[in-house]
């Protein structure tokens, strides 16, 4: 079994991969494939975020644990707002640019996850 840190990285990289694969499906007959890739990408990104909701509180001492989780929640919501704005503005300009931006955000998220201080798998949080 892999730890939470590796699971987040895998989820974010899979989300980026499937987002980039959407760019391959440019024909109108590929709408079903686009929808499947989009669903898998979104599921992977959501999965990564859910793992972070478990992993983040484990990294903080008990007396500031709720503050750490609140910070994660705040950043996630800001990211959702910016993402919606980017989709509205960028999709009008360039579908490919929008998909590359979303894929890049997943790669950046995976890279930043590598910088997290430690893996909590098997660690006593007592």
């Amino acid at each position: 079994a892999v730890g939470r840190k590796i699971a987040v990285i895998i989820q974010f990289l899979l989300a980026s991969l499937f987002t980039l694969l959407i760019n391959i499906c440019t024909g109108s007959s590929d709408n079903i494939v686009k929808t499947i890739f989009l669903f898998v990408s979104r599921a992977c990104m959501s999965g990564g975020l859910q793992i972070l909701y478990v992993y983040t509180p484990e990294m903080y001492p008990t007396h500031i644990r709720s503050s750490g989780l609140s910070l994660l929640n705040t950043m996630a919501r800001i990211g959702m707002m910016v993402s919606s704005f980017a989709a509205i503005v960028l999709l009008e300009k360039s579908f490919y640019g929008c998909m590359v931006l979303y894929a890049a955000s997943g790669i950046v998220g995976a890279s930043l996850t590598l910088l997290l201080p430690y893996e909590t798998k098997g660690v006593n949080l007592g």
Side-chain angles (χ1 to χ4, degrees):
V2 297
R4 288 175 182 82
K5 190 173 174 180
I6 298 299
V8 170
I9 292 169
I10 290 169
Q11 292 288 315
F12 285 171
L13 290 178
L14 282 174
S16 295
L17 172 68
F18 280 97
T19 301
L20 290 174
L21 288 175
I22 292 170
N23 284 331
I24 296 171
C25 306
T26 56
S28 60
S29 63
D30 292 333
N31 282 337
I32 292 174
V33 177
K34 277 184 190 178
T35 303
I36 291 169
F37 286 167
L38 185 63
F39 175 77
V40 172
S41 175
R42 188 171 176 162
C44 288
M45 193 58 75
S46 293
L49 184 61
Q50 295 308 312
I51 296 168
L52 282 175
Y53 273 110
V54 173
Y55 180 54
T56 302
E58 293 175 346
M59 292 177 26
Y60 293 101
T62 305
H63 65 280
I64 61 168
R65 199 166 279 171
S66 62
S67 298
L69 188 58
S70 297
L71 180 63
L72 169 68
N73 194 16
T74 301
M75 292 298 121
R77 296 198 184 268
I78 289 171
M80 288 180 220
M81 288 185 287
V82 170
S83 173
S84 298
F85 176 74
I88 292 168
V89 173
L90 285 177
L91 279 176
E92 292 178 2
K93 305 288 183 194
S94 171
F95 175 79
Y96 298 110
C98 186
M99 293 298 108
V100 168
L101 178 67
Y102 283 138
S105 70
I107 292 169
V108 168
S111 301
L112 291 174
T113 302
L114 286 171
L115 299 175
L116 291 174
Y118 56 89
E119 175 61 62
T120 61
K121 178 185 171 196
V123 174
N124 186 2
L125 299 176

